[in-house]
PDB file of all heavy atoms in Angstrom:
ATOM      1  N   GLY A 115      31.914 -10.283  62.380  1.00  0.00           N
ATOM      2  CA  GLY A 115      31.569 -11.504  63.081  1.00  0.00           C
ATOM      3  C   GLY A 115      31.859 -11.473  64.562  1.00  0.00           C
ATOM      4  O   GLY A 115      31.465 -12.385  65.285  1.00  0.00           O
ATOM      5  N   SER A 116      32.538 -10.441  65.037  1.00  0.00           N
ATOM      6  CA  SER A 116      32.839 -10.309  66.453  1.00  0.00           C
ATOM      7  C   SER A 116      31.715  -9.638  67.236  1.00  0.00           C
ATOM      8  O   SER A 116      31.806  -9.519  68.453  1.00  0.00           O
ATOM      9  CB  SER A 116      34.125  -9.505  66.648  1.00  0.00           C
ATOM     10  OG  SER A 116      35.242 -10.204  66.133  1.00  0.00           O
ATOM     11  N   TYR A 117      30.679  -9.217  66.540  1.00  0.00           N
ATOM     12  CA  TYR A 117      29.592  -8.458  67.146  1.00  0.00           C
ATOM     13  C   TYR A 117      28.263  -9.189  67.018  1.00  0.00           C
ATOM     14  O   TYR A 117      27.948  -9.743  65.954  1.00  0.00           O
ATOM     15  CB  TYR A 117      29.503  -7.069  66.513  1.00  0.00           C
ATOM     16  CG  TYR A 117      30.784  -6.290  66.687  1.00  0.00           C
ATOM     17  CD1 TYR A 117      31.837  -6.454  65.799  1.00  0.00           C
ATOM     18  CD2 TYR A 117      30.939  -5.416  67.751  1.00  0.00           C
ATOM     19  CE1 TYR A 117      33.032  -5.760  65.977  1.00  0.00           C
ATOM     20  CE2 TYR A 117      32.129  -4.721  67.935  1.00  0.00           C
ATOM     21  CZ  TYR A 117      33.169  -4.899  67.046  1.00  0.00           C
ATOM     22  OH  TYR A 117      34.352  -4.215  67.225  1.00  0.00           O
ATOM     23  N   ASP A 118      27.476  -9.157  68.086  1.00  0.00           N
ATOM     24  CA  ASP A 118      26.223  -9.902  68.091  1.00  0.00           C
ATOM     25  C   ASP A 118      24.970  -9.044  68.060  1.00  0.00           C
ATOM     26  O   ASP A 118      23.879  -9.553  67.778  1.00  0.00           O
ATOM     27  CB  ASP A 118      26.173 -10.869  69.282  1.00  0.00           C
ATOM     28  CG  ASP A 118      26.319 -10.191  70.632  1.00  0.00           C
ATOM     29  OD1 ASP A 118      26.590  -8.980  70.691  1.00  0.00           O
ATOM     30  OD2 ASP A 118      26.163 -10.892  71.654  1.00  0.00           O
ATOM     31  N   TYR A 119      25.075  -7.763  68.374  1.00  0.00           N
ATOM     32  CA  TYR A 119      23.936  -6.865  68.304  1.00  0.00           C
ATOM     33  C   TYR A 119      24.301  -5.634  67.501  1.00  0.00           C
ATOM     34  O   TYR A 119      25.388  -5.068  67.669  1.00  0.00           O
ATOM     35  CB  TYR A 119      23.464  -6.453  69.701  1.00  0.00           C
ATOM     36  CG  TYR A 119      22.741  -7.546  70.441  1.00  0.00           C
ATOM     37  CD1 TYR A 119      23.412  -8.379  71.319  1.00  0.00           C
ATOM     38  CD2 TYR A 119      21.371  -7.737  70.250  1.00  0.00           C
ATOM     39  CE1 TYR A 119      22.746  -9.389  71.991  1.00  0.00           C
ATOM     40  CE2 TYR A 119      20.705  -8.744  70.920  1.00  0.00           C
ATOM     41  CZ  TYR A 119      21.399  -9.563  71.789  1.00  0.00           C
ATOM     42  OH  TYR A 119      20.723 -10.564  72.455  1.00  0.00           O
ATOM     43  N   TRP A 120      23.369  -5.211  66.650  1.00  0.00           N
ATOM     44  CA  TRP A 120      23.577  -4.077  65.772  1.00  0.00           C
ATOM     45  C   TRP A 120      22.426  -3.091  65.851  1.00  0.00           C
ATOM     46  O   TRP A 120      21.272  -3.483  66.029  1.00  0.00           O
ATOM     47  CB  TRP A 120      23.713  -4.541  64.316  1.00  0.00           C
ATOM     48  CG  TRP A 120      24.918  -5.383  64.077  1.00  0.00           C
ATOM     49  CD1 TRP A 120      25.057  -6.714  64.353  1.00  0.00           C
ATOM     50  CD2 TRP A 120      26.157  -4.952  63.517  1.00  0.00           C
ATOM     51  NE1 TRP A 120      26.315  -7.139  63.990  1.00  0.00           N
ATOM     52  CE2 TRP A 120      27.004  -6.081  63.475  1.00  0.00           C
ATOM     53  CE3 TRP A 120      26.625  -3.729  63.038  1.00  0.00           C
ATOM     54  CZ2 TRP A 120      28.312  -6.004  62.974  1.00  0.00           C
ATOM     55  CZ3 TRP A 120      27.911  -3.655  62.540  1.00  0.00           C
ATOM     56  CH2 TRP A 120      28.740  -4.795  62.513  1.00  0.00           C
ATOM     57  N   GLY A 121      22.749  -1.821  65.704  1.00  0.00           N
ATOM     58  CA  GLY A 121      21.718  -0.805  65.641  1.00  0.00           C
ATOM     59  C   GLY A 121      21.133  -0.723  64.256  1.00  0.00           C
ATOM     60  O   GLY A 121      21.554  -1.425  63.325  1.00  0.00           O
ATOM     61  N   GLN A 122      20.152   0.148  64.089  1.00  0.00           N
ATOM     62  CA  GLN A 122      19.481   0.316  62.806  1.00  0.00           C
ATOM     63  C   GLN A 122      20.289   1.157  61.828  1.00  0.00           C
ATOM     64  O   GLN A 122      20.049   1.109  60.623  1.00  0.00           O
ATOM     65  CB  GLN A 122      18.107   0.956  63.015  1.00  0.00           C
ATOM     66  CG  GLN A 122      17.126   0.080  63.776  1.00  0.00           C
ATOM     67  CD  GLN A 122      16.741  -1.151  63.001  1.00  0.00           C
ATOM     68  OE1 GLN A 122      16.332  -1.059  61.837  1.00  0.00           O
ATOM     69  NE2 GLN A 122      16.878  -2.315  63.629  1.00  0.00           N
ATOM     70  N   GLY A 123      21.223   1.912  62.333  1.00  0.00           N
ATOM     71  CA  GLY A 123      22.058   2.736  61.490  1.00  0.00           C
ATOM     72  C   GLY A 123      21.566   4.172  61.409  1.00  0.00           C
ATOM     73  O   GLY A 123      20.386   4.445  61.564  1.00  0.00           O
ATOM     74  N   THR A 124      22.493   5.078  61.159  1.00  0.00           N
ATOM     75  CA  THR A 124      22.163   6.480  60.967  1.00  0.00           C
ATOM     76  C   THR A 124      22.934   6.998  59.761  1.00  0.00           C
ATOM     77  O   THR A 124      24.119   6.712  59.604  1.00  0.00           O
ATOM     78  CB  THR A 124      22.474   7.311  62.237  1.00  0.00           C
ATOM     79  OG1 THR A 124      22.043   8.662  62.053  1.00  0.00           O
ATOM     80  CG2 THR A 124      23.961   7.293  62.573  1.00  0.00           C
ATOM     81  N   GLN A 125      22.254   7.727  58.909  1.00  0.00           N
ATOM     82  CA  GLN A 125      22.846   8.197  57.660  1.00  0.00           C
ATOM     83  C   GLN A 125      23.726   9.419  57.890  1.00  0.00           C
ATOM     84  O   GLN A 125      23.310  10.388  58.520  1.00  0.00           O
ATOM     85  CB  GLN A 125      21.750   8.548  56.653  1.00  0.00           C
ATOM     86  CG  GLN A 125      22.265   9.125  55.335  1.00  0.00           C
ATOM     87  CD  GLN A 125      22.972   8.106  54.486  1.00  0.00           C
ATOM     88  OE1 GLN A 125      22.446   7.000  54.279  1.00  0.00           O
ATOM     89  NE2 GLN A 125      24.157   8.450  53.984  1.00  0.00           N
ATOM     90  N   VAL A 126      24.927   9.356  57.350  1.00  0.00           N
ATOM     91  CA  VAL A 126      25.837  10.494  57.343  1.00  0.00           C
ATOM     92  C   VAL A 126      26.139  10.830  55.897  1.00  0.00           C
ATOM     93  O   VAL A 126      26.611   9.977  55.145  1.00  0.00           O
ATOM     94  CB  VAL A 126      27.149  10.188  58.093  1.00  0.00           C
ATOM     95  CG1 VAL A 126      28.158  11.320  57.887  1.00  0.00           C
ATOM     96  CG2 VAL A 126      26.873   9.977  59.568  1.00  0.00           C
ATOM     97  N   THR A 127      25.852  12.049  55.511  1.00  0.00           N
ATOM     98  CA  THR A 127      26.104  12.492  54.149  1.00  0.00           C
ATOM     99  C   THR A 127      27.000  13.717  54.179  1.00  0.00           C
ATOM    100  O   THR A 127      26.670  14.713  54.825  1.00  0.00           O
ATOM    101  CB  THR A 127      24.794  12.835  53.420  1.00  0.00           C
ATOM    102  OG1 THR A 127      23.928  11.694  53.413  1.00  0.00           O
ATOM    103  CG2 THR A 127      25.078  13.247  51.981  1.00  0.00           C
ATOM    104  N   VAL A 128      28.121  13.631  53.489  1.00  0.00           N
ATOM    105  CA  VAL A 128      29.082  14.724  53.445  1.00  0.00           C
ATOM    106  C   VAL A 128      29.121  15.266  52.024  1.00  0.00           C
ATOM    107  O   VAL A 128      29.472  14.551  51.092  1.00  0.00           O
ATOM    108  CB  VAL A 128      30.483  14.269  53.874  1.00  0.00           C
ATOM    109  CG1 VAL A 128      31.431  15.461  53.906  1.00  0.00           C
ATOM    110  CG2 VAL A 128      30.429  13.591  55.232  1.00  0.00           C
ATOM    111  N   SER A 129      28.764  16.514  51.868  1.00  0.00           N
ATOM    112  CA  SER A 129      28.723  17.140  50.558  1.00  0.00           C
ATOM    113  C   SER A 129      30.038  17.838  50.250  1.00  0.00           C
ATOM    114  O   SER A 129      30.745  18.301  51.148  1.00  0.00           O
ATOM    115  CB  SER A 129      27.574  18.141  50.476  1.00  0.00           C
ATOM    116  OG  SER A 129      27.746  19.198  51.411  1.00  0.00           O
TER     117      SER A 129
END
Side-chain angles (χ1 to χ4, degrees):
S116 294
Y117 301 85
D118 58 353
Y119 287 94
W120 295 80
Q122 294 294 308
T124 185
Q125 177 70 48
V126 172
T127 302
V128 184
S129 62

